[in-house]
């Protein structure tokens, strides 16, 4: 039920959300320079949240409370806020500066905030607020904030080809689910499977180049991945993951991720899997 419910929701949610995107003219040139609807993450936002709320309601009706109200509200509001920060960037016409250095250079030279820098500020603040509600001490809050914020942006770094960000999400999220105590947590699987399922159904039209995940979807899925990072691993493992994320972001300022993937046959094959 947790896996197949998102398919039912997706079938009904995809058409109206797609038409909303088209009416708002939220289109961008994709990597092949073809104008394509973006902000497809809105489909995921609707599909995932409706599915999880329905599941929580069903189990509550059976007499089971799967997650505490405080934790659910913090994660729900935080993820929606991050998606909206991504949406404002998808709607922006400010497409010039790339990377943190580019946004900071515009701030320094032109004394203005780019949409990307505004998004980074918003996601960082959102991550801090959520971490304050999901941490037991100051150091844990600090690490959780970094994990949520950098995870939200990490998928953005990979979202340069159809389906790549979703594949990265699958790879890291399944690794956390299978390599941490979450593998034995039935509640974690009940809440994770709708997310996995929703991304599978969205993966199909994205690989057909009918719609793009956009910053809306990349930031949203990245934040949910960050929730897994702060939930499953030990504190030492969280610090290691945080350091790796910092290295990845620093490297992305100087190296092209697409070129790095293209140099390694296995990564290139994985990157091309599902392409039509």
């Amino acid at each position: 039920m947790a896996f197949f419910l998102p398919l039912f929701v997706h079938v009904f949610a995809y058409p109206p959300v797609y038409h909303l995107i088209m009416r708002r003219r939220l289109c961008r040139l994709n990597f092949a320079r073809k104008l394509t609807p973006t902000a497809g993450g809105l489909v995921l936002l609707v599909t995932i949240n409706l599915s999880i709320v329905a599941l929580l309601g069903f189990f509550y009706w059976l007499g089971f409370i799967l997650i505490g109200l405080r934790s659910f509200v913090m994660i729900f509001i935080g993820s929606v806020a991050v998606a909206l920060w991504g949406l404002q960037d998808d709607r922006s016409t400010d497409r010039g500066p790339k990377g943190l250095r580019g946004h900071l250079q515009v701030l320094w030279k032109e004394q203005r905030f780019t949409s990307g820098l505004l998004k980074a500020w918003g996601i960082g603040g959102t991550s801090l607020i959520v971490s304050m509600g999901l941490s037991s001490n100051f150091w844990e809050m600090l690490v959780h904030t970094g994990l949520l914020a950098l995870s939200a942006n990490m998928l953005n770094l990979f979202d340069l080809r159809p389906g790549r960000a979703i594949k990265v999400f699958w790879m890291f999220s399944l690794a956390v689910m299978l390599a941490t105590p979450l593998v034995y947590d039935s509640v974690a699987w009940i809440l994770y499977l709708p997310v996995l399922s929703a991304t599978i159904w969205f993966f199909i039209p994205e690989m057909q180049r009918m719609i793009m995940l956009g910053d809306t979807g990349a930031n949203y899925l990245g934040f949910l991945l960050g929730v897994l990072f702060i939930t499953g691993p030990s504190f030492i493992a969280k610090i290691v993951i945080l350091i790796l994320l910092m290295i990845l972001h620093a490297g992305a300022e100087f190296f092209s991720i697409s070129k790095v993937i293209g140099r390694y046959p296995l990564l290139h094959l994985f990157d091309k899997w599902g392409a039509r």
Side-chain angles (χ1 to χ4, degrees):
M1 178 180 176
F3 185 81
F4 290 103
L5 179 59
L7 171 60
F8 176 80
V9 178
H10 176 88
V11 168
F12 287 94
Y14 183 86
V17 175
Y18 181 85
H19 290 308
L20 174 64
I21 292 172
M22 295 301 293
R23 286 199 303 270
R24 297 293 181 178
R25 300 180 181 178
L26 294 176
C27 297
R28 292 281 184 269
L29 293 175
N30 64 11
F31 77 104
R33 310 302 296 174
K34 179 182 177 182
L35 198 63
T36 308
T38 188
L42 290 173
V43 177
L44 291 177
L45 182 69
V46 173
T47 303
I48 292 172
N49 284 323
L50 286 181
S51 298
I52 289 180
V53 168
L55 283 171
L56 292 176
F58 174 73
F59 279 97
Y60 181 79
W61 178 69
L62 293 178
F64 299 99
I65 299 178
L66 299 185
I67 185 175
L69 180 61
R70 177 182 175 182
S71 297
F72 172 74
V73 170
M74 295 296 292
I75 295 172
F76 175 80
I77 294 178
S79 62
V80 171
V82 166
L84 293 178
W85 284 115
L87 179 60
Q88 70 85 26
D89 203 20
D90 281 331
R91 296 181 60 190
S92 172
T93 57
D94 189 8
R95 313 307 298 177
K98 299 293 183 181
L100 181 60
R101 287 190 304 163
H103 295 297
L104 290 177
Q105 285 175 357
V106 171
L107 178 63
W108 176 259
K109 294 179 180 179
E110 303 179 21
Q111 285 78 53
R112 68 177 179 89
F113 272 83
T114 62
S115 62
L117 192 58
L118 180 63
K119 180 184 71 172
W121 180 269
I123 290 177
T126 301
S127 300
L128 174 60
I129 294 172
V130 173
S131 296
M132 290 173 65
L134 300 178
S135 305
S136 57
N137 57 65
F138 173 79
W139 296 110
E140 192 174 59
M141 181 193 71
L142 201 61
V143 172
H144 286 178
T145 300
L147 285 173
L148 289 174
L150 292 181
S151 296
N153 192 62
M154 180 187 72
L155 292 191
N156 240 24
L157 301 179
F158 287 95
D159 191 31
L160 299 173
R161 294 293 185 275
R164 181 186 291 174
I166 290 179
K167 293 173 190 175
V168 172
F169 172 80
W170 289 342
M171 182 174 63
F172 282 101
S173 62
L174 283 171
V176 173
M177 290 297 297
L178 296 175
T180 69
L182 292 178
V183 70
Y184 304 109
D185 191 336
S186 58
V187 172
W189 283 103
I190 290 173
L191 297 177
Y192 170 70
L193 285 176
V195 181
L196 178 64
S197 177
T199 55
I200 291 174
W201 306 125
F202 184 86
F203 180 77
I204 298 171
E206 189 182 33
M207 292 307 295
Q208 294 172 344
R209 303 181 188 179
M210 296 171 57
I211 194 168
M212 292 192 291
L213 192 62
D215 287 11
T216 308
N219 293 141
Y220 176 64
L221 286 180
F223 185 85
L224 295 182
L225 180 60
V227 172
L228 285 179
F229 284 153
I230 71 174
T231 304
S234 66
F235 186 68
I236 297 298
K238 292 175 185 178
I239 294 176
V240 172
I241 295 171
L242 179 59
I243 293 173
L244 292 176
L245 287 175
M246 293 171 67
I247 293 173
L248 174 64
H249 279 76
E253 293 292 323
F254 301 96
F255 303 101
S256 168
I257 290 179
S258 293
K259 290 182 179 179
V260 172
I261 291 175
R263 290 175 187 164
Y264 298 93
L266 285 178
L267 291 178
H268 182 68
L269 182 64
F270 180 68
D271 193 39
K272 292 296 182 182
W273 172 70
R276 296 186 59 179

